[in-house]
Structure formats: C-alpha cells, structure tokens
Amino acid sequence: MPLKPSQILALLKAKRSHFQTFDQTALQALQKYRAALAAASQDSEKPLLEQLSSFNPDDRGAEPLEPLGDYPNWVIRSGLVWQSREESYQWVRDRLTGISTFAVDGSQIYPGKDLSIPVALVQIGWFENLHRTDGHYEKDIDLDVMTPTDLQVNSSADPVDRRVNMRRFEMETERLIQYMDDRSGCNNCLAFLDGSLVATFAEAFDEETRRFYVNCIVELLQASKQYRVPLVGYIDTTYARDLTIMLQRLFTLPEAPSIHDAPLLGKLMHWGDRTPLFRCRRSGILKSYPPSISDQIGFTYLKAHEGYPVRLEVPLWVYEANLLETVLDWVRGEIIIGGGYPYVIETADQTAVLKAEDRQMFFRLLQDWADSEDLNLRLSRKMVSKVRRR
C-alpha cells in the first residue's frame, strides 16, 4: 500500500518538540564554535601550532599550513565577480586552455537472485578534457566480469556486494595512476578523485577490507608525488569535522558531534572563496597509512555553489611546489563549466553509468555464452521474460 501522508504529518506534529530541541541545541553549539573560529582567525599560525603541540598529532583534527592572521573566519576572498556569464567563461579560458583535466567513475551490476551462480559486472568510465580550441577530448570505458572465484563465494553470508565495490574502487584508482604515469612530469595536468583521500569510510569494515582501501589510496598518493601530477580529492557533500575538532582542542569547547566544518564556514563565504590549507590530523584511519604518507594530506574548503562549501584534499607536495593557487583556479574553472560541479567528474560519471538496458544486455550475453559453452547457468523466469522482450 502507498504511504499515508496524513499519518506521517500527524507523527511529525506529535514529535515536533524532538526536532525543536535538537535544532536549538545544535544552534547554541554552532554559535560557540563560530565565536571560537572568529577568535582563532585573529592569531597567526605559530601560537595555534604551539597550543596544538600539547595534543597528540593524531588528536588535533588539523594543523594550519598557510600563514594565518589576515583572514577573518579563515576565509580567503577570491574577489571573483563577473558582470556576465561570458566574462566568467573568458576567465575560465584564460586559465584552462591547454590544461588537461581527468576524472574516472564506476558503475556495477551486483550478483542477484536472477542468476543461478554469482556473477557481477564492473565498469569504469573516464573523461579527459584537454581544453583545446578544437574541442578535442578523450572518453572511454573498461570493464571486468567477476566470477564466483573473484567474488570469493564460500557461503551465503559472504559480502559479495562489498567485493564488487572493492573491485570498482581498485579499477578507478588504477586508472588514475595510469593517467599519471602517462602524463609523468606534466605541468598542465590535473587528476580528480571523486571522493576523499582520507578513507574514513573504510573504518566500518573488517581489517582486510580496511587495508585494501587504504592501500589503493596510498598508491594513488604515491603516484601523484612520483609522477608530479597534481591530484584533488573532491568531496561535494562533506561531513568532515577536522577544523571543528581543532577548535574544540584550542578553546576547550564542549563536544558537538552534530557540528561539521562545512556548515561552520558556509554562511561566511562567497563563491570562489576558500579557507587556508590545513594538514589533516584526523584520528582513526590515518594510523593505517604509512608514516611517510599519513601527515601528507592537506585540505581546504571552497565555496562552489549556493550550498555549503565543498572540501578539496590534495597531497602536500602540490602546496610545497607552489602549485596550490594554480590548481585551485583549475578546479574553479571546472566548476564554472559544470554549473556548480566539476564538468570533468560529471562527464566521467555519465560515461561509466550502467543503465537498465545494459543490465538486460549483460544477462542476455551471459546466458547465450553459457549455452554455447554448455555451462549450467540459469536465469530466473522473470529475467528470461525481460531479456526476451528486449
């Protein structure tokens, strides 16, 4: 039966006080943290680092890298205001013409009850925008069929969907590394990872899975430094609390799990503004990174659209090589082209996506191939009907 709106509205009305209490508590905490942010932003980086030195390095949240003291609320104004869309596009052309930007994304067909044996399909798609006057670009896909052996199926409790996700992530990071290798030493290239370089999401998994994701990202970071190709981890919706934790340590503020960095900064920023660069000192997953890598990830927040600022993460060699401002302008340019989201990431996503008709084609090919090879693979009657109709 469909939902009954009247029942939902009645329950919401009955529990209104719960929402109101939560909202008021969060607002009060947010005001305290914003006051701390305003106070901290008046100091240079040196006294802040001295205060933070009393905490363990992995219990600081963040450490400032760029000079502070001249940016109220840690907002560096971009000063980017245009009178027309064409003016903004001209700004983009001035900075991105001849610059190669690259992104990769993935999609998958999970094993399911429609097949008598577990089989999965993983597809990645990539897009390289060369930003040339002739409009040339490169776009392609790669895929992998995962067999019962690949999926390591031993019992019905085995997390086969997780193994599919792992293979997709591995293929995505491997393709990014291949791009960096191909463009080794390129001073006009930028690679995007659609996600974080700090694999906090992996903390929810077992040790083997956690180590797998960490290894993928570590290899990516190492490749960026080795091949000298800038890398940006782009997180459009972030719940990171690194700056919040740092402020809590500096000002002995009450714990406030509901407060995240992006809302803390959001109302204070205009389009194109960013925060100074900070070193990520998050507790947890970074302990699993090699010591030579764990403290080499920087982050900044950038106002990219009407919502909260996005989080950008970069390997610190980019900052040390004095490439940060250039790379951030390249990111701003991609955001302008994409209307609030990097065009290169959006196009990679469109290239990689597997649609319903792709799923039907995969099953049809799989069934035909199994029949020709005399393999005992059966589709459910429902899937057979769908495949025949298509």
Side-chain angles (χ1 to χ4, degrees), residues 288-309:
S288 301
Y289 286 48
S292 60
I293 298 288
S294 62
D295 64 349
Q296 293 298 300
I297 300 173
F299 67 91
T300 180
Y301 289 91
L302 177 75
K303 184 69 171 176
H305 45 60
E306 293 181 355
Y308 291 138

Side-chain angles (χ1 to χ4, degrees), residues 364-382:
R364 184 170 64 250
L365 290 170
L366 189 60
Q367 182 69 79
D368 291 346
W369 175 80
D371 291 344
S372 68
E373 297 292 326
D374 198 25
L375 295 174
N376 186 25
L377 184 149
R378 299 182 306 279
L379 292 174
S380 68
R381 296 308 304 171
K382 179 179 180 180

